[in-house]
């Protein structure tokens, strides 16, 4: 019993120290490079559209920077494969109209393995391959294994270490200094805000920091 209490105390201590690290790290110019669709799954497309707008308000994202894409061939849901060429075409149109020079997307696993997340990755990669002449950077969110994924702020130590190994700048660790705001934004998606998602937001390392890898 005493051994279990000791282990629990150590884990709690590590969580507290790591959380303090997350809160303090943004004051240090660590990731300097980055400082300067809501689908119709379950027939709740309109509801989720409004929830997305509410989440953007919580995150202080200007509404003019938010665009909902409701394409018949890009409907949300498992088993619904999205056409990569179509995705590349739509993304290219946005790049051209908004003079975008950087894209941040999912990696090939898509964090949760969701097929739509993975399709977006491949659509962006196709675009990158098709417009080699254009000066645009693409970064992907690195998916982690299940232990790191649910380690909360503790994962910051390994994330920073792995990023430091890439001295050529192809990996960046971004710390979320407003992790509480992320929780508030997620709560705006009330139609999906069930108990296991609340647990995920609390325990997920993605709530506290994210590692981006440059796509070549």
């Amino acid at each position: 019993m005493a051994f279990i209490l000791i282990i629990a105390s150590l884990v709690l201590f590590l969580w507290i120290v790591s959380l303090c690290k997350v809160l303090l790290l943004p004051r240090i110019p660590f990731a300097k490079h980055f400082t300067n669709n809501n689908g119709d799954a379950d027939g709740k497309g309109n509801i989720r559209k409004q929830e997305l707008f509410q989440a953007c308000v919580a995150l202080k994202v200007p509404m003019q920077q938010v665009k909902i894409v409701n394409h018949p061939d890009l409907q949300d849901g498992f088993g619904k494969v999205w056409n990569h060429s179509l995705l590349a075409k739509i993304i290219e149109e946005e790049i051209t109209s908004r003079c975008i020079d950087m894209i941040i997307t999912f990696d090939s696993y898509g964090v949760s393995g969701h097929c739509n997340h993975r399709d977006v990755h491949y659509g962006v990669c196709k675009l990158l391959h098709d417009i080699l002449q254009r000066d645009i950077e693409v970064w992907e969110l690195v998916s982690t294994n299940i232990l790191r994924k649910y380690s909360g702020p503790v994962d910051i130590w390994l994330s920073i270490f792995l990023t430091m190994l890439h001295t050529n700048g192809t990996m960046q660790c971004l710390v979320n200094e407003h992790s509480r705001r992320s929780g508030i934004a997620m709560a705006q998606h009330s139609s999906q805000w069930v108990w296991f998602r609340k647990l995920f937001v609390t325990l997920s390392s993605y709530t506290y920091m994210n590692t981006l890898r440059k796509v070549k």
Side-chain angles (χ1 to χ4, degrees), residues 100-138:
I100 294 172
D101 58 9
M102 180 183 292
I103 297 175
I104 299 177
T105 185
F106 295 104
D107 64 5
S108 59
Y109 183 70
V111 177
S112 64
H114 196 295
C115 56
N116 298 154
H117 296 182
R118 301 173 73 174
D119 286 335
V120 169
H121 164 81
Y122 290 117
V124 171
C125 287
K126 177 171 177 51
L127 172 65
L128 186 63
H129 178 268
D130 292 345
I131 58 171
L132 291 176
Q133 75 281 6
R134 185 168 296 175
D135 184 20
I136 185 168
E137 289 187 12
V138 176

Side-chain angles (χ1 to χ4, degrees), residues 15-30:
W15 257 76
I16 293 173
V17 171
S18 300
L19 186 58
C20 289
K21 182 70 171 177
V22 169
L23 296 175
L24 292 175
L25 191 59
R27 300 174 186 176
I28 304 173
F30 180 70

